Amino acid sequence: MLENKPLAVVTASTAGIGLSAAMALAKSGMHVVVSSRKAENVSQAVALINDAYGPDAASGIPCHVGNKANREALVAFAASRSAHIRALVLNAAVSTAYGPIFNISEDQWDKMFDINLKAAFFLVKDFNDMLTAGSSVTFITSIAAYNPIPGLGAYSITKTALLGMCKTLSVELARDGIRVNAIAPGLIQTKFSEKLWKHKDQGKGEAMESNKISKFLHIPMRRIGMPNDIGGVVAFLVSEDAAYITGETIVVAGGITSKL
Ligand SMILES: NC(=O)c1ccc[n+]([C@@H]2O[C@H](COP(=O)([O-])OP(=O)(O)OC[C@H]3O[C@@H](n4cnc5c(N)ncnc54)[C@H](OP(=O)(O)O)[C@@H]3O)[C@@H](O)[C@H]2O)c1
């Protein structure tokens, strides 16, 4: 069991936004339980965080969030660390279909809703007994929740639905002093979004420069985001500084318009 550190659990936290969130939470003094599907990725991320913030900064377990047994193992692993969880960050998502929305198969639809919504909901449910007054839940949604991305229609629907889940759970859990919020990143340079930012430059076969992409995507700040643009916002939302914020979604998208 952990002696002094509050516990954080971040799903899909071995790369990109999830890893950045895990690093930021470890930096703020929490012990972070890291997880993702592949054991070697988990080991690497745990080593990286412990190298940066000390041997008690992180531990980890593989967890494919779409797998019920894996989710239960994650809960049991976290419970072996601490009876209470201060921060639960639901970051895992998948995009299974690209193209006109009616080209999607039922399997592709089900998988996207299973990972992006159902798994996030049931993880909150499964961790509910470990959430106490002062705990918080943070969903990672997307700017696509507000502005559907062409070709990613069903993915965009799952992310809009997450806004609703955030609102509903925030009301349900507020009476226990548990806050529920979300972050909607814009285009962030990770493997997940490679197809969006690795546009070919007029057939030259080179990646477009950041400011060219941002013009193409109408990003007022004229750059795409980096994972570290999100990690600190997660740390803020779970901190005491955000003690009166619940049911909200913070858009972190370089100024891209966001309105439902
Ligand atoms: N990048 C963007 O532009 C952007 C914008 C808006 C929102 N988002 C959202 O940000 C979140 C993270 O995306 P990212 O861009 O950071 O992705 P990323 O850099 O590609 O990282 C994905 C992470 O998820 C893990 N993972 C994938 N499938 C998983 C599953 N079924 N269960 C558990 N872990 C899984 C991967 O590790 P393993 O391979 O080991 O599983 C990896 O650690 C997603 O919710 C995404 O929708 C991203």
Side-chain angles (χ1 to χ4, degrees):
M1 291 291 257
L2 293 167
E3 291 297 317
N4 300 316
K5 292 190 166 196
L7 185 72
V9 173
V10 185
T11 65
S13 45
T14 59
I17 290 168
L19 178 59
S20 169
M23 294 284 274
L25 294 174
K27 188 179 176 186
S28 76
M30 303 180 92
H31 177 90
V32 185
V33 171
V34 164
S35 66
S36 76
R37 291 167 303 178
K38 299 184 191 104
E40 67 269 29
N41 291 347
V42 173
S43 306
Q44 278 171 18
V46 168
L48 189 75
I49 297 170
N50 285 340
D51 278 353
Y53 300 113
D56 203 20
S59 56
I61 180 172
C63 174
H64 184 322
V65 299
N67 180 307
K68 190 171 187 285
N70 281 194
R71 292 198 298 266
E72 287 167 355
L74 175 64
V75 176
F77 183 83
S80 74
R81 294 283 187 271
S82 172
H84 304 296
I85 184 170
R86 179 74 63 81
L88 175 60
V89 182
L90 291 319
N91 172 62
V94 68
S95 175
T96 54
Y98 182 80
I101 194 161
F102 293 135
N103 287 359
I104 195 168
S105 70
E106 209 167 319
D107 282 350
Q108 288 170 323
W109 176 276
D110 286 346
K111 181 158 188 207
M112 217 158 354
F113 276 75
D114 269 3
I115 302 292
N116 300 7
L117 272 182
K118 181 180 155 187
F121 175 81
F122 280 95
L123 275 165
V124 181
K125 180 174 184 261
D126 292 344
F127 273 113
N128 191 32
D129 288 344
M130 292 174 68
L131 298 167
T132 51
S135 300
S136 72
V137 175
T138 308
F139 295 110
I140 304 301
T141 174
S142 170
I143 191 69
Y146 299 90
N147 309 320
I149 298 176
L152 295 175
Y155 169 81
S156 302
I157 294 171
T158 66
K159 292 299 189 177
T160 311
L162 261 184
L163 301 179
M165 196 150 87
C166 171
K167 276 285 178 210
T168 299
L169 290 179
S170 72
V171 175
E172 294 273 345
L173 299 183
R175 68 179 79 97
D176 297 325
I178 300 159
R179 298 179 301 106
V180 183
N181 292 295
I183 295 173
L187 179 60
I188 308 295
Q189 191 170 331
T190 67
K191 191 161 188 295
F192 184 81
S193 59
E194 215 171 41
K195 281 200 173 71
L196 296 176
W197 53 265
K198 261 199 177 168
H199 267 277
K200 302 295 176 200
D201 194 1
Q202 269 93 46
K204 285 184 196 158
E206 296 161 4
M208 283 166 87
E209 291 162 22
S210 182
N211 69 339
K212 286 192 194 161
I213 304 163
S214 53
K215 262 193 211 159
F216 166 76
L217 289 169
H218 310 295
I219 302 171
M221 285 186 75
R222 299 169 68 88
R223 71 169 176 89
I224 62 175
M226 302 304 288
N228 287 346
D229 288 314
I230 309 298
V233 184
V234 174
F236 163 69
L237 269 182
V238 313
S239 77
E240 274 293 304
D241 289 337
Y244 201 48
I245 301 178
T246 197
E248 298 299 336
T249 299
I250 299 185
V251 177
V252 187
I256 298 177
T257 306
S258 53
K259 197 168 189 308
L260 278 181

